[in-house]
């Protein structure tokens, strides 16, 4: 399914996002207010618009209401908040993703400002480092809906309770779902009969409230919090 996506900010970040999304078959519009950043030859498949994404009239002319997703990808947190708020409140865009440039501003990027998903590079980098080096514990990769749901990863250690057993034998708590298994270079969509192997990276979507339960189920005793 082709999704129509508007990206505010055509710097390195915005262009990289655009190229990735176009490669996945989506329709992308890049909105940039600085003429020197307007470089259609760098992403020729995108629609380029010279406009200030913080101005309502500019967004109306760009037909933002026809977009399925808006990505606020500028290097200015204030601008990203304004774009997010306008996209959600004035144009009813179903999905708004916003870049957080400064970690101390992350608390502002909430549904009150129209943000569905806030992406903070420091947090994401920290999560990726943890994911790469941590075995036998839960690592939070990404937060959705301001903490209502999280994407988390657990690398299955040897002798875990369900090592070698099928997915259907794992008693998942309510509000948690195993969505993918990363095994070597393969990405597996889990089926009930798939056996779990040590070294598998298990990717779950769950609410914050059940993260400890997911950890305890998958890891057994080693997933329990320490006493005292």
């Amino acid at each position: 399914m082709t999704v129509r996506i508007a990206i505010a900010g055509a710097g390195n970040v915005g262009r990289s996002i655009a190229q990735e999304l176009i490669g996945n078959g989506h329709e992308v519009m890049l909105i940039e207010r600085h003429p020197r950043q307007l470089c259609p030859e760098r992403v020729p498949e995108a629609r380029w618009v010279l406009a200030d994404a913080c101005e309502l009239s500019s967004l109306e002319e760009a037909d933002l209401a026809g977009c399925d997703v808006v990505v606020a990808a500028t290097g200015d947190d204030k601008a990203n908040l304004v774009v997010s708020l306008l996209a959600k409140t004035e144009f009813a865009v179903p999905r708004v993703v916003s870049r957080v440039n400064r970690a101390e501003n992350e608390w502002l990027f909430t549904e009150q400002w129209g943000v569905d998903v806030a992406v903070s590079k420091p947090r994401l980098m920290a999560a990726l480092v943890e994911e790469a080096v941590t075995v036998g514990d839960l690592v939070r990769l990404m937060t959705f809906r301001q903490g209502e749901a999280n994407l988390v990863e657990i690398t299955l250690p040897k002798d875990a309770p369900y090592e070698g057993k099928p997915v259907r034998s794992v008693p998942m708590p309510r509000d948690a779902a195993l969505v993918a298994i990363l095994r070597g270079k393969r990405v597996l969509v889990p089926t009930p009969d798939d056996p779990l192997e040590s070294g598998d990276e298990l990717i779950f979507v769950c609410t914050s409230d059940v993260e400890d339960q997911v950890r305890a189920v998958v890891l057994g005793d080693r997933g329990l919090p320490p006493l005292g």
Side-chain angles (χ1 to χ4, degrees):
M1 184 182 83
T2 300
V3 177
R4 188 164 184 253
I5 302 160
I7 301 174
N12 291 332
V13 172
R15 292 196 305 270
S16 296
I17 296 169
Q19 289 169 334
E20 185 76 19
L21 293 170
I22 289 168
N24 290 336
H26 301 303
E27 180 183 340
V28 174
M29 171 174 59
L30 278 162
I31 305 172
E32 176 55 55
R33 69 187 183 97
H34 296 296
R36 68 178 182 275
Q37 293 272 40
L38 211 67
C39 306
E41 70 278 3
R42 295 196 178 183
V43 193
E45 303 90 348
R47 175 191 170 196
W48 287 73
V49 176
L50 179 62
D52 188 343
C54 293
E55 292 185 358
L56 190 60
S57 58
S58 297
L59 298 178
E60 288 174 344
E61 290 179 14
D63 188 27
L64 205 73
C67 292
D68 303 295
V69 181
V70 164
V71 181
T74 80
D76 185 333
D77 284 344
K78 294 189 295 293
N80 289 341
L81 286 171
V82 171
V83 171
S84 300
L85 186 63
L86 291 175
K88 186 66 72 174
T89 60
E90 298 294 332
F91 298 97
V93 175
R95 191 73 165 167
V96 177
V97 179
S98 187
R99 172 187 177 187
V100 184
N101 294 280
R102 298 177 66 86
E104 62 265 30
N105 295 332
E106 193 171 354
W107 66 277
L108 288 166
F109 288 74
T110 65
E111 289 182 347
Q112 283 70 34
W113 278 95
V115 179
D116 293 307
V117 178
V119 180
S120 169
K121 286 197 287 187
R123 172 177 288 186
L124 184 57
M125 289 176 68
L128 291 174
V129 169
E130 285 191 282
E131 185 272 334
V133 301
T134 303
V135 176
D137 200 1
L138 181 146
V139 177
R140 185 179 296 174
L141 299 177
M142 188 172 291
T143 296
F144 305 102
R145 296 284 183 183
Q146 286 68 58
E148 292 178 18
N150 300 313
L151 188 70
V152 302
E153 183 265 357
I154 299 176
T155 299
L156 198 68
K158 286 185 177 295
D159 302 321
Y162 295 96
E163 180 192 2
K165 296 182 180 179
V167 169
R168 56 181 155 75
S169 68
V170 182
M172 293 303 302
R174 185 177 178 180
D175 298 327
L178 176 63
V179 295
I181 300 172
L182 308 185
R183 182 175 294 160
K185 295 183 179 180
R186 299 178 63 200
V187 178
L188 308 176
V189 178
T191 67
D193 294 325
D194 285 332
L196 299 178
E197 299 179 4
S198 64
D200 281 352
E201 296 181 50
L202 309 180
I203 309 297
F204 300 89
V205 174
C206 64
T207 62
S208 299
D209 292 342
V210 301
E211 282 184 358
D212 287 342
Q213 296 177 49
V214 171
R215 181 190 289 110
V217 165
V218 174
L219 300 175
D221 291 343
R222 72 183 81 191
L224 297 175
L227 295 176

